[in-house]
Amino acid sequence: MMKENYEYKISASGRVNIIGEHIDYCGGKVMPAAISLKNTIYVRDNDSNMINISWTTLNDKVSLQIDKLEEYRNLKYGNYQAGAALMWQRAGHLVKGCDMLFDCNIPFGSGLSSSAAIEVSTIVALATIAKEKIDKVEIALIAQKAEKEYAGVNCGIMDQYASACGKKGNLLLLDCSTLECEYLPLNLGDYSLVITNCNKPHSLIESKYNERRLETSKALKILQQVLDIKSLSEVTNDQFIKYGYLLEQPLRKRVAHIVSECERVNLAIRALKKGNIKLLGNLLNESHTSLKDNYEVTGKEPDALVLAAQTHSACIGSRLTGGGFGGCTISLVKSSEIEDFKKHVFDTYYKATGYKAEFYDCEISDGIKIEKI
Ligand code: GLA
C-alpha cells in the first residue's frame, strides 16, 4: 500500500537505558534515552468502526473492531495495538476507525523497547485522528497499562516514558516514584555509545521479569516491618547492611542489586555533569556485574558480549541494557577506535557463542513525531 495515501506519519522511538536497570518498578531513578530506531505509523481516518492494521514487513493484515478491543489478546501480531487502543478508550478517549500501516525498524526482542514504541505510537495515532491534543506523560502511562494489563508484562514506566518524552541529544533523568523528569545533554567527549545486539532472542523475559517483580514486592514487605519506606529505592546502603539478614536468598541478592544500582545512578549523574566519562564507564561495568550475579537477568550470550567489549582497550565500560535474558548491550568506546572495537567484539563473541553480534548506529532522538503527509 502506498504511504502517500495516508493523512499522518506518526512515530515513537525505541530506547536505550544508560544506567538504572530493573529499578523503575522499585521507585528508582533511571537514565534512559530515546533512539533513532523507531516505530512509524502511516494513518488515516476510515469512517468505520474498524482499526485496520497492516505492516510494511509482514503479509498479515488484522482488523480490530473498536467496540470489541478486549478480544484480541491472543493475536500474534496486533495485540499491542489492540491493548493500547483499549486502554486509551477506557481512559475516556474517543477511538475512531482508521487504517494504520506499521513500519518498525526496532528489532523485536532486542531490549530496545519495540513494544513500548508500538503502544505509544498507536495511542498518538488514535489521538491525532480524533484531533486530540497530545499529553505525552498521560500517553506513556496508558501505554504502560496496555503492556501490564493486556500484554501481561508487569513492567515499570521507563520504556513508555522514554519513548514518549525522549528529547534529541538528551538523556532523561526520570524519578520513577514521582515521575519528575530532568533532561541532561549526553556529552561523551571523545567517547561514543555503541549498541550491540547479542542476537539471542530473549524468550524468558516475560515470565522471569514478572518473577523478579514478585521477589521485589516480597522483599519490600519484609523490610517494611523495620523501615518506614514506600519502595525499595528508599533503602540506604547502611540500612541494607543492618537489615539485609532479614531477607533469605535470593531476595537478599535482589535487594543488593537495587540498593547498589540506585547509588550508581546518583554517581552516574554526577559523573556526566562533570564530564567524567571514565567513571561513567566503571559504573556501567559494575552495573552489569550486579545484574549478572545479584539480579540474575543476563545469560550466557549477553555476558559473553559484555566480556568481549570489556576486553578491548578502547572500551571503558559495557553492560546489558533493558529487561535482560538476551537483547542488547551498550558500550562506551573511544570514538576513533570504533571500527577496531566492532571487529574485536564480533570475532570474540562469535568464537564464544556461535552468534553474530549486530551493531546499531543510532542517535539519541526525540520520542514522538507527528507529521501531516
Ligand atoms: C523492561 C521494562 C522496564 C524496566 C526494564 C529493566 O524494559 O519494560 O520497565 O523494568 O525492563 O530496567
Side-chain angles (χ1 to χ4, degrees), residues 13 28 44 46 62 99 152 166 173 179 212 218 241 243 253 260 311:
S13 294
R44 64 176 170 225
N46 67 12
V62 168
D99 302 329
L173 305 184
L179 290 193
R212 291 294 173 278
K218 269 193 208 158
I241 292 171
Y243 296 116
K253 292 200 267 187
S260 63
T311 51

Side-chain angles (χ1 to χ4, degrees), residues 41-110:
I41 307 177
Y42 298 86
V43 62
R44 64 176 170 225
D45 195 332
N46 67 12
D47 234 350
S48 78
N49 66 342
M50 304 297 281
I51 300 173
N52 300 317
I53 301 176
S54 57
W55 287 268
T56 53
T57 48
L58 297 170
N59 286 325
D60 293 50
K61 281 196 166 69
V62 168
S63 287
L64 312 171
Q65 210 170 308
I66 55 185
D67 49 358
K68 290 194 175 149
L69 290 169
E70 186 60 72
E71 292 176 12
Y72 302 104
R73 285 171 200 265
N74 297 324
L75 286 181
K76 183 165 177 214
Y77 299 110
N79 59 334
Y80 287 116
Q81 289 86 339
L86 177 65
M87 296 306 155
W88 186 240
Q89 191 178 52
R90 280 197 185 154
H93 296 278
L94 173 67
V95 170
K96 295 187 80 182
C98 56
D99 302 329
M100 292 181 171
L101 171 64
F102 279 76
D103 189 13
C104 188
N105 63 5
I106 314 165
F108 295 120
S110 62

Side-chain angles (χ1 to χ4, degrees), residues 231-259:
S231 63
L232 285 179
S233 63
E234 292 169 49
V235 180
T236 64
N237 201 30
D238 287 347
Q239 289 171 332
F240 181 61
I241 292 171
K242 192 162 172 200
Y243 296 116
Y245 75 93
L246 293 172
L247 303 165
E248 279 181 20
Q249 296 294 17
L251 300 194
R252 199 181 314 158
K253 292 200 267 187
R254 306 297 187 243
V255 177
H257 168 73
I258 288 155
V259 173

